[in-house]
Amino acid sequence: MEESPSPKNFGTWAGGMEQSLIVHDLPAILERWKIFKLARCAASNQLFDIMETPLIPSVISNCSTENYPEKGYRTPEKDRGSGMHPTRRTILSGYTNESTKNIAGETSIVTSFSELNIEEPPRTSIPSSSGEALTAFAQLLMVCRQSAPATLADVFSAYCKLDSIVKLGEGTYGEAYRAGSTVCKVVPFDGDSLVNGETQKKSEEVLEEALLCLTLNNLRTDQGDKGKDHSCDGFIETKDFWVCKGPYDPSLISAWEDWDSKHESENDHPKDFSNDQHYIIFVQADGGRDLEKFALLDYNEARSLLLQVTASLAVAESACEFEHRDLHWGNILLARDEMSNKDHTMSITLQGKRIRARTFGLTISIIDFTLSRINTGNAILFLDLSEDPDLFKGPKGDKQVFR
């Protein structure tokens, strides 16, 4: 799995057995997250200017009162900040005084954590229903349905034997490993040390990427209302999330070194992570092999690839204004079903119209939403790409630079 920016090395993914999907209460998670964003703004500036969009009334999350886009625009003005990598920006909607009152009465993933005793964090926190303050890290634990971080060994042992872990690929912000029939993307965050020359992601950034994955999960044909207006299976299925803490496990170090001996890793050796290091694990379906290494057999497979990618993007754009913003050939996975007696077709629903098409045995999965933009219905999540000019640089003549 390749994490942005720009492809480096990609591993081979093979199809595996399906596992049951963990159902998350997305509306409740988004409501808790919105209150957090509101409190963060309220602590630092005046009340917010309201910006009406064609879909939702919103407020700017960075609390700036200048350079707002005119009415009718869905994407906010660029906020040029500082940092080693882009900061995820958001536009929030639906704030009322009642929103903080109603949160206490929710019968959802939120209330199951009401007994947590969380220490007082900085001013960028919100009060919970039981009075203690909740940081973005605490909310991330809620999404993962954990009361405390686990160890890497505990998580991976739930999916496979530790000595069977295989590294599949790497990116700027993390590593991908096969664990049984799943792929686990391990991303360090909230640490002070640089990782592969980059500042580590913060809890808030990781939380928002998790929200984006959950939103795309809701487009799957086996999720939610069967009569929904938009559905497709072209985005990788995220099965679960885990927060972990501690040094890199020896089993993962062994898998990392095996991969390094064959492919010469460009990443820092993970043995240097401290006992206090936090990680987020995205547990995802095994989508196959990336397009860079996948050999298409004929014209039928080529047109199936193009059809599935464009149809999936069309559904996500229509449903939630989704923009991938990093769709190089390392972020498209393919798997081939060679059983000739199967009905090789795909089905999508676009603006209420159901469409079926032949796939010729090929299945695609779009991955890596680090740079993506999406409207969850409650908020617009996106990265200000102008903050990292290196994203737009690459080897001369590289056809994958502009995407």
Side-chain angles (χ1 to χ4, degrees):
M1 180 180 297
E2 177 66 13
E3 186 76 21
S4 299
S6 72
K8 294 181 181 178
N9 300 300
F10 304 96
T12 299
W13 294 10
M17 297 176 60
E18 294 185 357
Q19 291 192 0
S20 59
L21 177 70
I22 304 298
V23 179
H24 293 80
D25 189 345
L26 182 57
I29 293 170
L30 283 170
E31 180 66 17
R32 174 69 77 175
W33 172 81
K34 285 199 306 177
I35 300 172
F36 166 82
K37 300 294 288 190
L38 177 62
R40 181 178 183 181
C41 291
S44 61
N45 226 328
Q46 299 175 355
L47 293 178
F48 326 104
D49 288 354
I50 301 298
M51 181 187 73
E52 295 289 336
T53 72
L55 292 181
I56 53 175
S58 309
V59 288
I60 301 297
S61 66
N62 63 9
C63 304
S64 174
T65 58
E66 300 177 356
N67 299 325
Y68 285 2
E70 296 178 2
K71 292 183 178 181
Y73 284 57
R74 297 187 181 187
T75 303
E77 287 284 338
K78 297 174 182 177
D79 180 355
R80 300 181 183 274
S82 59
M84 295 294 292
H85 57 83
T87 301
R88 186 167 290 279
R89 304 298 184 193
T90 58
I91 295 181
L92 312 177
S93 69
Y95 286 126
T96 66
N97 290 334
E98 294 299 319
S99 62
T100 55
K101 299 177 183 177
N102 294 338
I103 197 73
E106 290 176 343
T107 55
S108 65
I109 190 173
V110 175
T111 56
S112 65
F113 287 83
S114 61
E115 299 302 319
L116 289 182
N117 182 19
I118 301 173
E119 294 182 359
E120 182 71 17
R123 67 178 182 176
T124 59
S125 63
I126 61 171
S128 76
S129 58
S130 57
E132 71 270 21
L134 293 177
T135 62
F137 180 78
Q139 293 176 76
L140 187 59
L141 285 174
M142 287 183 175
V143 173
C144 299
R145 294 187 289 187
Q146 296 174 246
S147 58
T151 66
L152 290 168
D154 287 340
V155 171
F156 275 85
S157 61
Y159 299 98
C160 67
K161 293 182 178 180
L162 294 181
D163 59 4
S164 70
I165 297 173
V166 177
K167 178 175 171 176
L168 301 176
E170 64 183 22
T172 304
Y173 295 114
E175 319 274 346
Y177 298 90
R178 181 188 293 116
S181 61
T182 66
V183 171
C184 295
K185 184 172 73 169
V186 182
V187 180
F189 71 96
D190 274 357
D192 295 327
S193 62
L194 297 180
V195 175
N196 309 318
E198 298 286 341
T199 302
Q200 294 186 32
K201 291 187 175 185
K202 301 301 182 184
S203 293
E204 184 176 352
E205 295 175 274
V206 173
L207 174 62
E208 292 173 5
E209 186 172 349
L211 297 180
L212 191 150
C213 290
L214 289 175
T215 303
L216 289 176
N217 262 8
N218 285 345
L219 290 178
R220 300 189 65 81
T221 56
D222 58 354
Q223 297 295 308
D225 185 6
K226 293 184 178 180
K228 56 190 176 184
D229 290 337
H230 296 90
S231 67
C232 69
D233 295 323
F235 297 95
I236 197 69
E237 179 184 14
T238 302
K239 294 178 174 291
D240 210 354
F241 310 94
W242 291 89
V243 174
C244 297
K245 182 180 179 181
Y248 229 63
D249 190 77
S251 60
L252 295 180
I253 290 178
S254 177
W256 191 95
E257 291 176 341
D258 287 345
W259 194 90
D260 179 46
S261 65
K262 299 174 184 176
H263 304 282
E264 296 185 1
S265 175
E266 297 182 30
N267 284 0
D268 299 335
H269 198 297
K271 65 179 176 58
D272 296 328
F273 286 122
S274 70
N275 294 337
D276 296 324
Q277 179 64 55
H278 286 101
Y279 315 86
I280 179 71
I281 300 181
F282 294 87
V283 182
Q284 298 178 325
D286 198 336
R289 192 175 188 180
D290 64 79
L291 179 57
E292 184 181 15
K293 300 294 191 293
F294 192 93
L296 297 171
L297 297 180
D298 52 29
Y299 167 73
N300 285 333
E301 286 196 344
R303 66 171 175 167
S304 176
L305 163 66
L306 291 173
L307 174 63
Q308 292 185 61
V309 171
T310 53
S312 299
L313 293 174
V315 169
E317 182 178 12
S318 180
C320 44
E321 304 174 18
F322 175 79
E323 300 168 9
H324 190 282
R325 298 184 172 182
D326 193 27
L327 198 56
H328 55 72
W329 58 357
N331 283 338
I332 300 174
L333 306 182
L334 302 97
R336 181 183 290 120
D337 186 346
E338 298 179 351
M339 294 181 61
S340 59
N341 61 341
K342 282 191 68 175
D343 179 22
H344 293 138
T345 61
M346 60 169 281
S347 176
I348 69 166
T349 305
L350 178 61
Q351 297 179 353
K353 182 178 180 180
R354 190 179 182 192
I355 304 170
R356 293 180 65 86
R358 294 181 64 187
T359 64
F360 303 97
L362 205 65
T363 302
I364 70 100
S365 297
I366 298 171
I367 64 170
D368 190 356
F369 313 122
T370 302
L371 303 185
S372 298
R373 185 258 198 204
I374 201 167
N375 185 341
T376 68
N378 296 79
I380 297 176
L381 311 178
F382 72 105
L383 282 171
D384 185 352
L385 304 185
S386 68
E387 292 185 7
D388 191 352
D390 288 339
L391 287 172
F392 301 94
K393 299 178 182 178
K396 185 176 181 180
D398 188 348
K399 297 179 180 179
Q400 289 292 320
V401 171
F402 300 101
R403 49 189 183 264

